[in-house]
Amino acid sequence: MLVPKTKGVFVEVSDFSILAAVTSTLTPPFRIESLQECPVDVELEQIQEFIGGLAEVKARGYLTGHCSVYPKSRFIRRTTLESPAKAKDPAYLVDLLTNQFRIDPAKNGVAVVNAIDGTEFDAEKNLQAQKELVFCGATLEELQKVQDRVVEWGIYPQTVEIGSLNGLGGLKNYLEWKKIHFPTLVLEITPENSNIFILSGKQVDIARPIPYGLTSMFPSIKSELGLKDEESAKKLFYSNTFDFTEMGPILLKKMLKELQASTGFYEVQTGQTIGQIFMTLLPNNFNWMHATLSRALGVDMLHLDYPGWLKQMSLTTSEGVQLETLDSRWLGLFSLMGNYDKAADGA
């Protein structure tokens, strides 16, 4: 049974937490009435109780909402078509996906979108204007599992989006609104893997996966602190009781090398200088990573003006919603709420 559509619910599910917003409706303009958070690694009953409590849902009721998720198999791959005319043949894109990116289209849900404005690729339109492309998706099996999971929690999703792509869309909108012209380095770190993105004022310029994440730091923590095993390192890492700031350069050595390679290549190829770094997803107790990488790369940290950005998207907040204290990980949830059909110039 669906709960009457008197409220809207927006939910982002990551490896770290469940972020949720209750809104006056599901379609902007609307008012954000509350922001709430729940750990993701708790019992099913606790999550169901959390979801049900968002809008005081009675037993066996479902909230209608929009969700973003981060499947472990997700991919975002950037390409430039050297011969756009060949893309009229669907087999050309399938071959590109299979041979260049090693992604099996039979096992994955795949979308092909324009790297400039996020619109879906259309072979019937001007192909030259669509030569900058992004392939994105995840395995069909995992996409089904994450959808079943949110339904089990008590949400009937109108949409389920891949959070990585959703966040890039929101951040691009933010950078355009703020008139930030220097390219932005975006780093998405999860326990097992990471993604590097570079957003210029015009488009997604780079989308590159890194095959390791937070877990790769545990051996160094064990060694540096003389712990008995990596499980002890993991517990300390996530405990929020130890300040890793001093160890930051050691723990992030591999990550920094990847970032320097990507930014160096980008700056040489384009002649543009990276202006700022922005990290998504990570909770407050990992802010030392953001600061460490900012210093090492010699770029500023990007701090979002949530009140101003939401206002320009025609979104207001109730008195109890404090936007000023929110960190970077809330970008994804707010990005779900935006309507990006029109650019700032009206296009």
Side-chain angles (χ1 to χ4, degrees), residues 26-206:
L26 267 179
T27 306
F30 53 65
R31 182 179 66 259
I32 300 172
E33 298 185 348
S34 69
L35 296 175
Q36 301 184 46
E37 180 178 0
C38 176
V40 75
D41 56 350
V42 294
E43 297 297 326
L44 172 61
E45 292 76 12
Q46 290 177 260
I47 297 179
Q48 289 174 330
E49 183 178 349
F50 168 75
I51 297 297
L54 293 175
E56 299 179 354
V57 179
K58 295 179 181 179
R60 301 185 68 180
Y62 287 89
L63 290 175
T64 302
H66 295 290
C67 302
S68 66
V69 295
Y70 293 84
K72 287 182 172 54
S73 62
R74 69 192 181 283
F75 57 86
I76 298 178
R77 303 289 186 267
R78 176 73 165 81
T79 191
T80 299
L81 299 181
E82 295 182 3
S83 304
K86 292 183 179 179
K88 279 187 173 292
D89 180 2
Y92 176 77
L93 294 181
V94 171
D95 182 69
L96 194 64
L97 190 69
T98 304
N99 295 317
Q100 181 171 327
F101 298 121
R102 301 292 187 262
I103 293 170
D104 185 351
K107 294 181 179 179
N108 290 271
V110 183
V112 185
V113 300
N114 194 309
I116 297 173
D117 58 15
T119 54
E120 191 171 353
F121 176 80
D122 187 344
E124 300 303 316
K125 293 183 178 179
N126 181 357
L127 293 176
Q128 189 63 34
Q130 299 181 89
K131 68 177 184 177
E132 307 296 340
L133 296 179
V134 173
F135 291 85
C136 50
T139 64
L140 293 169
E141 180 182 11
E142 193 174 9
L143 287 172
Q144 185 62 56
K145 284 182 178 178
V146 296
Q147 181 168 303
D148 292 344
R149 188 185 188 194
V150 297
V151 170
E152 187 178 29
W153 289 349
I155 302 172
Y156 182 83
Q158 280 199 352
T159 58
V160 178
E161 302 184 22
I162 292 179
S164 306
L165 199 67
N166 164 64
L168 286 176
L171 186 57
K172 184 174 183 296
N173 179 269
Y174 179 89
L175 296 172
E176 290 172 350
W177 167 67
K178 273 289 189 180
K179 295 182 171 54
I180 296 175
H181 302 298
F182 283 105
T184 301
L185 173 65
V186 183
L187 179 59
E188 175 189 278
I189 303 180
T190 63
E192 302 302 331
N193 54 38
S194 305
N195 285 293
I196 295 173
F197 306 105
I198 295 181
L199 276 177
S200 67
K202 188 173 77 168
Q203 63 189 3
V204 177
D205 279 332
I206 285 181

Side-chain angles (χ1 to χ4, degrees), residues 10 96 111 120 159 189 256 295 299 301 320 326:
F10 293 82
L96 194 64
E120 191 171 353
T159 58
I189 303 180
L256 181 60
R295 286 194 299 270
V299 297
M301 290 189 290
L326 299 180

Side-chain angles (χ1 to χ4, degrees), residues 215 218 221 227 229-239:
T215 303
F218 299 160
I221 294 173
L227 301 176
D229 53 34
E230 290 184 19
E231 185 61 31
S232 299
K234 177 181 179 180
K235 288 180 180 178
L236 182 63
F237 187 74
Y238 286 111
S239 68

